[in-house]
Amino acid sequence: MNTQGTSTIAVFGATGQQGGAVVDALLERGARVRALVRSPESDRARALAARGVELAPVRIDTPASVVTALEAVDAFYFMTPEANSLQEVEEEVRVGTALADAAVAASVPHVVFNSVFGADRVTGVPHHDSKHRIEEHLRRSGLRTTMVRPTGFMENFSTVMAPVVEDGTVVLRLPLPDDAPLKLISIRDIGRIAAAVLFGADVPGGAVEAVGDELTGPRMAAAFGAHAGLPSRYEALPLSVLPNELDREMFRQFAKASEHPSDLAAVRKIEPAVQDLAEWIRSTGWTAPADLAQA
Ligand SMILES: NC(=O)c1ccc[n+]([C@@H]2O[C@H](COP(=O)([O-])OP(=O)(O)OC[C@H]3O[C@@H](n4cnc5c(N)ncnc54)[C@H](OP(=O)(O)O)[C@@H]3O)[C@@H](O)[C@H]2O)c1
């Protein structure tokens, strides 16, 4: 791979969160980026084009369109869409295997698959095992493949996992036991890690868990409290608060995370500036939401 910034790298998911972060990191490194998009006229696709990204229209159901889009690229990054039901899990596997097959047909020299942590094994979490199945398909394909396996997004603390302030105390509530460490990564760093790998960073074993921090609930709450200058409290919730069985199974697995400790040193060899939670909180300018007791 050319490391002088003149390589062409194809990205699937460029209009989304992780693929968007990969594009940001690739452009910073001076790569030429070709985004495989289904809607070239969408606002997000146009915004990419305005930054110099080439748009290649693809239809997953028309394999030739994907093969054409992958012609003459130096490397190909792909993620797979969110699945919230068993039907969507099968669709995710279908998309992933179709992209892998197109990469074989286009003789892509290096594929980086944005998988998920733990996808080296079957875990019983449907939307993680889907990624395991895609990894296995890639392995059988003969393609040179590297797996980047992201952990939970820190950005979830701005949405579904947002702490609240009650009576002057930062309170974090998650369906996770107090003593279970949660593996976390910022989306920015997923992009940086994937870009480094696309540019040829050495990845022992052909797979890296993308992780920037690993903290128990009380320690996560304390990181938000320290930033806000407020005391903090963590409360473990029952799994029944989760909207579907897929997520309940995922949090059952999260509770066992200490069986598979993270290797932060391995990540730092690829992306030395990977953020921990405190750094992410600072860098995003997170502010404590209004105190519910005073609302
Ligand atoms: N949330 C977490 O903490 C977490 C942690 C680890 C892993 N994950 C995994 O991350 C994945 C979601 O990633 P994300 O948040 O980056 O996704 P996202 O922001 O929802 O983006 C999805 C991307 O895929 C594209 N896409 C979907 N279906 C397509 C199709 N048929 N043809 C062409 N493009 C298609 C979308 O394009 P359009 O713009 O056209 O829609 C968009 O660019 C899931 O697999 C999830 O399991 C999540």
Side-chain angles (χ1 to χ4, degrees):
M1 137 98 41
N2 180 329
T3 53
Q4 301 306 308
T6 53
S7 306
T8 299
I9 296 177
V11 175
F12 178 88
T15 52
Q17 301 194 85
Q18 297 177 96
V22 175
V23 171
D24 292 345
L26 287 173
L27 292 178
E28 268 172 35
R29 284 170 172 259
R32 281 198 293 260
V33 179
R34 185 182 299 167
L36 277 54
V37 294
R38 57 178 163 184
S39 312
E41 300 305 323
S42 73
D43 290 347
R44 286 184 181 172
R46 282 170 186 263
L48 289 171
R51 294 166 67 203
V53 172
E54 178 190 353
L55 301 181
V58 294
R59 289 266 162 256
I60 294 295
D61 293 328
T62 311
S65 72
V66 189
V67 178
T68 302
L70 291 177
E71 263 163 22
V73 300
D74 296 286
F76 174 38
Y77 161 94
F78 75 94
M79 47 71 68
T80 47
E82 188 83 34
N84 291 305
S85 66
L86 293 180
Q87 196 181 346
E88 286 174 3
V89 162
E90 291 310 314
E91 174 62 10
E92 179 185 7
V93 175
R94 196 179 70 85
V95 169
T97 53
L99 292 169
D101 292 347
V104 172
S107 303
V108 173
H110 183 203
V111 170
V112 173
F113 173 47
N114 192 102
S115 181
V116 74
F117 76 101
D120 52 318
R121 55 189 183 272
V122 174
T123 59
V125 179
H127 50 311
H128 289 195
D129 289 347
S130 51
K131 294 168 180 73
H132 175 73
R133 286 163 64 190
I134 297 165
E135 287 198 8
E136 292 296 296
H137 187 79
L138 282 161
R139 256 190 214 100
R140 287 191 297 268
S141 74
L143 286 163
R144 180 181 159 230
T145 308
T146 309
M147 315 301 174
V148 172
R149 299 188 180 128
T151 52
F153 301 167
M154 291 180 184
E155 282 70 10
N156 294 335
F157 289 115
S158 301
T159 56
V160 289
M161 289 174 21
V164 294
V165 179
E166 293 175 5
D167 292 324
T169 297
V170 172
V171 185
L172 178 67
R173 297 184 175 96
L174 294 177
L176 190 69
D178 288 44
D179 58 352
L182 186 64
K183 296 168 186 281
L184 296 163
I185 183 81
S186 73
I187 292 174
R188 180 203 79 173
D189 287 339
I190 297 171
R192 290 186 176 183
I193 293 164
V197 174
L198 287 158
F199 264 68
D202 182 38
V203 180
V208 59
E209 182 184 81
V211 61
D213 214 341
E214 200 177 12
L215 296 172
T216 60
R219 291 188 62 200
M220 289 185 268
F224 286 97
H227 181 77
L230 294 171
S232 65
R233 185 171 81 239
Y234 177 73
E235 289 178 15
L237 299 174
L239 289 172
S240 56
V241 299
L242 291 165
N244 59 51
E245 186 49 32
L246 280 72
D247 285 346
R248 284 191 279 276
E249 191 51 42
M250 182 173 71
F251 270 86
R252 272 184 211 111
Q253 288 299 321
F254 285 178
K256 299 184 203 162
S258 53
E259 292 172 12
H260 301 277
S262 291
D263 186 352
L264 278 162
V267 180
R268 293 218 166 89
K269 277 191 190 143
I270 296 170
E271 170 49 41
V274 70
Q275 291 177 314
D276 62 16
L277 182 61
E279 286 162 341
W280 177 84
I281 293 170
R282 262 198 309 279
S283 72
T284 55
W286 180 85
T287 51
D291 194 330
L292 294 181
Q294 293 168 7

